[in-house]
Amino acid sequence: MNIGIVCYPTFGGSGVVATELAKGLANRGHNLHILSYARPARLDSFRTDITFHEVDLSSYPLFEYPPYDLALANMMVNLIKYEKLDVLHVHYAIPHATSAYLAKQILNSQASHVPVITTLHGTDITLIGSDPSYKQVVDFSINKSDGVTAVSEYLKKETYKHFDIKKDIKVIPNFIDLDRFKKSKKEHFKKAICPEGEKIVTHVSNFREVKRVPDVVEAFSHILNNGIKAKLLMVGDGPDRIRAEEKCRELKMCDHVRFLGKQERVEEVLSISDLFMIPSGSETFGLAALEAMSCSVPVISSNIGGLPEVNVHGETGYLCELGDVETMGSYASKILSNESLHKKMANAARKRAEQFELDKIVTIYEDYYEEVRGQLKKETT
Ligand code: GMT
């Protein structure tokens, strides 16, 4: 198949899922076209079966905000026409699903056989999508998609709750490359960071408010107060990094915390980690938690959104009430101070991650493309 994939290029989960899916599909002989305003971070090597198309935004004095959605729709029209796309798969509803609808309208009968599949990822539903300034458009565009998927049961429910969706939503979870995300020997790295054999607690995110990064720092302070020698590695960057740094100063624990910024090879940091923390205020799945689990790292998370579908309480880590940093700290201390519990949870975390293995989930997407194509064919003949 010739498959168009539209996504955000940044380090965020939806762009990672879209790019890894494109690679997985290309490995099966499909021809992929990725559309975005910049090359996705995970599209890191040259391949002849994946073509990247950068959406060109011409500037013009009248455009204070250049209309990205129109430029994207225009590019979709060209790709459907000239690259003979069989499927157009958009990740994150805003504005991608709307641009796809517009492209199909422009092409009319020429594109009637090309299904638009929209994958809902998170804040396109739970936060920004439900905002009155976008809601009607998001509702319309999802209903006009030929196929709709969500990354968790939780997100599916939220979508039906907040929008008037007439379509069936198929749940296809995030997935993981078990060969890339596995514990590897990085002892030299660990020794450099923890010369006295301290435990390593890690957090990875884009440091947006929703990730509650100051909670990570506070929960970590309870670990130190419980007498455990540990270091906190903060991976990523974003608007709330400054608040997390402030919290470190306020709690006088800057010597125990390292802010590593954005990292290309997160699996190397996870390989030396003993525990992962994700106390998010909203998380439809929690790809970062899955990446940690795949590297055999137990997870302390909040119990909101899709996180309980990934992290199993008492098995792969612990789930805590939102903002309850004290409980997070005491569960973390329990794992870090008990070697056999840590080992048991680390093994269970990896086992759980195996249920989200890349190939298995790519097959589900591939089958879904065929199913929606078949339905559309029936409807248009
Ligand atoms: O919805 C977002 O905030 C953006 C999106 C992203 O691009 O980072 O994240 C969501 O999609 C990921 C991949 O499906 C999920 O693993 C994340 O849980 C989800 N983030 C949130 O719900 C906050």
Side-chain angles (χ1 to χ4, degrees):
M1 279 187 269
N2 291 325
I3 303 167
I5 294 226
V6 184
C7 65
Y8 284 105
T10 44
F11 278 82
S14 63
V16 170
V17 168
T19 313
E20 295 298 342
L21 174 62
K23 291 186 201 166
L25 289 164
N27 289 345
R28 290 165 178 227
H30 301 291
N31 205 9
L32 271 293
H33 295 271
I34 299 186
L35 292 74
S36 194
Y37 58 77
R39 194 176 176 87
R42 284 278 178 102
L43 192 59
D44 44 10
S45 59
F46 166 69
R47 327 185 26 150
T48 52
D49 44 11
I50 304 182
T51 311
F52 171 60
H53 304 263
E54 187 167 320
V55 180
D56 183 33
L57 275 183
S58 311
S59 66
Y60 186 67
L62 273 184
F63 296 162
E64 193 180 353
Y65 307 105
Y68 178 70
D69 31 13
L70 300 188
L72 177 61
N74 198 73
M75 183 169 272
M76 288 170 172
V77 167
N78 283 336
L79 288 183
I80 293 173
K81 247 172 139 171
Y82 304 120
E83 297 292 342
K84 309 267 177 275
L85 293 189
D86 297 300
V87 172
L88 181 58
H89 186 180
V90 305
H91 291 259
Y92 206 87
I94 309 170
H96 304 155
T98 314
S99 300
Y101 171 73
L102 180 58
K104 278 195 74 162
Q105 289 300 301
I106 293 168
L107 285 164
N108 201 353
S109 59
Q110 275 184 75
S112 57
H113 65 288
V114 182
V116 168
I117 293 171
T118 298
T119 289
L120 307 171
H121 279 274
T123 48
D124 46 351
I125 296 300
T126 56
L127 207 72
I128 190 77
S130 322
D131 189 285
S133 49
Y134 293 107
K135 195 167 186 289
Q136 314 272 358
V137 177
V138 175
D139 200 308
F140 175 85
S141 309
I142 294 174
N143 276 309
K144 288 293 178 189
S145 298
D146 301 294
V148 184
T149 81
V151 298
S152 62
E153 290 293 340
Y154 163 79
L155 184 57
K156 176 177 171 173
K157 276 195 206 118
E158 284 298 290
T159 309
Y160 284 128
K161 193 160 106 193
H162 294 293
F163 297 88
D164 185 17
I165 302 299
K166 315 267 186 313
K167 303 236 146 224
D168 272 348
I169 299 178
K170 185 173 177 67
V171 174
I172 308 183
N174 288 178
F175 51 84
I176 192 81
D177 178 346
L178 295 166
D179 286 332
R180 175 171 174 181
F181 285 88
K182 64 175 182 226
K183 201 168 205 74
S184 58
K185 287 210 175 312
K186 296 279 167 207
E187 293 314 317
H188 55 291
F189 187 15
K190 187 158 192 165
K191 209 151 185 74
I193 292 184
C194 302
E196 287 166 38
E198 298 96 323
K199 302 288 182 192
I200 295 187
V201 178
T202 301
H203 170 77
V204 180
S205 78
N206 46 20
F207 287 58
R208 285 177 301 163
E209 197 183 341
V210 79
K211 303 292 176 184
R212 297 182 68 107
V213 276
D215 280 10
V216 177
V217 177
E218 246 184 271
F220 181 72
S221 74
H222 289 287
I223 300 176
L224 295 180
N225 292 342
N226 286 336
I228 295 171
K229 285 190 171 171
K231 293 267 185 207
L232 174 62
L233 301 184
M234 301 287 274
V235 179
D237 215 328
D240 267 11
R241 175 170 170 171
I242 195 157
R243 289 187 57 216
E245 287 172 343
E246 258 167 37
K247 187 58 93 186
C248 288
R249 285 191 286 273
E250 182 191 317
L251 297 171
K252 303 200 180 351
M253 45 186 266
C254 297
D255 288 350
H256 303 276
V257 186
R258 292 277 296 270
F259 286 85
L260 300 178
K262 286 180 185 167
Q263 296 288 324
E264 294 283 345
R265 305 213 65 88
V266 183
E267 65 275 23
E268 294 184 352
V269 184
L270 292 171
S271 280
I272 60 163
S273 302
D274 298 293
L275 195 72
F276 188 79
M277 275 205 197
I278 174 165
S280 307
S282 172
E283 203 69 70
T284 54
F285 183 89
L287 181 60
L290 179 60
E291 290 180 343
M293 287 159 62
S294 188
C295 292
S296 306
V297 185
V299 171
I300 301 289
S301 69
S302 52
N303 60 2
I304 50 89
L307 282 166
E309 294 174 49
V310 186
N311 185 21
V312 185
H313 186 71
E315 214 177 280
T316 61
Y318 292 106
L319 295 156
C320 306
E321 291 298 324
L322 185 62
D324 186 354
V325 287
E326 210 176 315
T327 306
M328 288 176 198
S330 72
Y331 273 138
S333 306
K334 183 174 162 181
I335 300 175
L336 293 174
S337 59
N338 181 336
E339 216 164 290
S340 76
L341 176 67
H342 182 269
K343 197 166 171 207
K344 203 168 137 204
M345 286 193 156
N347 290 337
R350 172 71 185 186
K351 272 245 145 345
R352 176 88 184 123
E354 284 167 8
Q355 293 174 11
F356 300 94
E357 190 259 330
L358 183 146
D359 243 8
K360 202 159 94 183
I361 309 295
V362 171
T363 304
I364 300 176
Y365 274 115
E366 210 177 22
D367 292 348
Y368 187 62
Y369 290 171
E370 291 297 2
E371 184 189 322
V372 181
R373 281 179 85 197
Q375 267 167 18
L376 198 60
K377 212 172 190 172
K378 254 195 232 156
E379 285 165 22
T380 52
T381 48

